Amino acid sequence: MIEKGFSNGEKEAVAQLQQREMDVLRKYVKANKSALPDQIVFAGSSLMEMFPIEKMQQNLELKQKIYNRGVSGTTTQFLLQHIDELVLDLQPAKIFINIGSNDIDFGISEKTFISNYASILQTFQQKLPQTTVYTMAYYPMNPTIQAAKNNNQNSARSNERLAQASQQVAQLADKFGYEFINVNDGLADENGDLLPKLTFDGVHMFPAGYEIVLKNMYRYL
């Protein structure tokens, strides 16, 4: 549903985003039909969808296959609404989840964000009781590059807010008996900002950034 008060250009952009989300979802539904159970699933938004893990895993000696089910531009609500197609239908042995940074960016209330995230973990607990779940700390951003790419428009996303959200996710993980992992070592400079060489817009990373993340998370895979 496109909200009232948007300009025609904004409405068109939102409609295109929603159409892309559905296209990606349909692609995943089709792929799920031939997917193997008891493997590994990556779930989340663009920061997960852009993780080229399905290509990277070809050079890894893993016992299980990794399926990436990230969807760009989505929030905790989207993952909760489509949790069957994105996670449950795959019956995974392990789940790595990185979702919620768009909730911050879109100005979604903290109460709604935490409630949705808790419902996601509760669903995993109820529907996938034998599955190992890893909730991930949010990656750092580079506010200088992000502002430049967005013509200095204010963004609700900041390293301070991401750090706060990571703490909240860690508390949720502990509540549900899941593990919270921070695989960000080597991504940030001395100020805590995402290294310029690793990002093209201050938020999303080049493959080199994901190579660092993969190295940090390899022991969990």
Side-chain angles (χ1 to χ4, degrees):
M1 179 178 179
I2 302 176
E3 297 182 14
K4 296 180 180 179
F6 280 11
S7 68
N8 289 335
E10 290 172 330
K11 289 179 180 179
E12 182 178 354
V14 171
Q16 290 176 348
L17 177 61
Q18 291 174 337
Q19 181 60 53
R20 184 192 178 280
E21 290 171 355
M22 291 300 102
D23 289 344
V24 172
L25 195 63
R26 281 190 288 270
K27 180 187 73 173
Y28 288 157
V29 169
K30 182 178 179 180
N32 288 349
K33 294 179 181 179
S34 59
L36 299 172
D38 299 315
Q39 306 303 305
I40 301 171
V41 170
F42 281 18
S45 55
S46 59
L47 295 175
M48 195 61 97
E49 184 182 359
M50 295 178 69
F51 198 144
I53 189 61
E54 293 186 338
K55 180 179 180 180
M56 288 178 170
Q57 69 179 310
Q58 296 174 15
N59 299 317
L60 302 177
E61 295 181 359
L62 297 177
K63 295 180 179 179
Q64 295 164 305
K65 183 178 178 63
I66 301 173
Y67 297 113
N68 191 332
R69 292 297 181 264
V71 184
S72 296
T74 56
T75 63
T76 51
Q77 181 180 1
F78 182 90
L79 178 53
L80 185 59
Q81 290 175 334
H82 301 285
I83 199 166
D84 289 311
E85 305 97 308
L86 297 174
V87 181
L88 301 185
D89 289 349
L90 290 161
Q91 292 293 301
K94 294 180 181 180
I95 301 168
F96 291 83
I97 178 173
N98 188 334
I99 189 72
S101 54
N102 284 329
D103 293 62
I104 297 171
D105 224 6
F106 299 163
I108 294 171
S109 72
E110 181 178 300
K111 180 180 179 181
T112 298
F113 158 60
I114 295 301
S115 176
N116 288 342
Y117 209 122
S119 295
I120 291 169
L121 298 185
Q122 184 175 43
T123 301
F124 291 161
Q125 192 175 67
Q126 293 174 345
K127 301 293 182 65
L128 301 171
Q130 304 303 317
T131 299
T132 301
V133 177
Y134 296 99
T135 64
M136 299 173 65
Y138 298 106
Y139 304 136
M141 63 173 291
N142 188 299
T144 302
I145 296 176
Q146 194 274 342
K149 291 293 183 178
N150 289 278
N151 297 316
N152 293 313
Q153 293 181 359
N154 290 328
S155 172
R157 189 183 311 213
S158 68
N159 282 322
E160 291 75 19
R161 182 65 186 92
L162 291 170
Q164 180 184 349
S166 289
Q167 291 180 349
Q168 293 170 307
V169 169
Q171 291 172 358
L172 283 177
D174 183 65
K175 176 182 177 181
F176 286 94
Y178 294 138
E179 187 169 357
F180 171 81
I181 60 174
N182 187 327
V183 293
N184 300 345
D185 187 40
L187 295 179
D189 62 18
E190 64 276 8
N191 297 316
D193 295 337
L194 182 61
L195 290 169
K197 67 180 181 180
L198 298 180
T199 180
F200 56 89
D201 63 359
V203 173
H204 301 94
M205 294 188 291
F206 292 118
Y210 286 108
E211 290 175 1
I212 294 173
V213 172
L214 179 58
K215 181 180 179 181
N216 293 334
M217 72 188 305
Y218 182 77
R219 65 192 180 101
Y220 301 106
L221 294 174

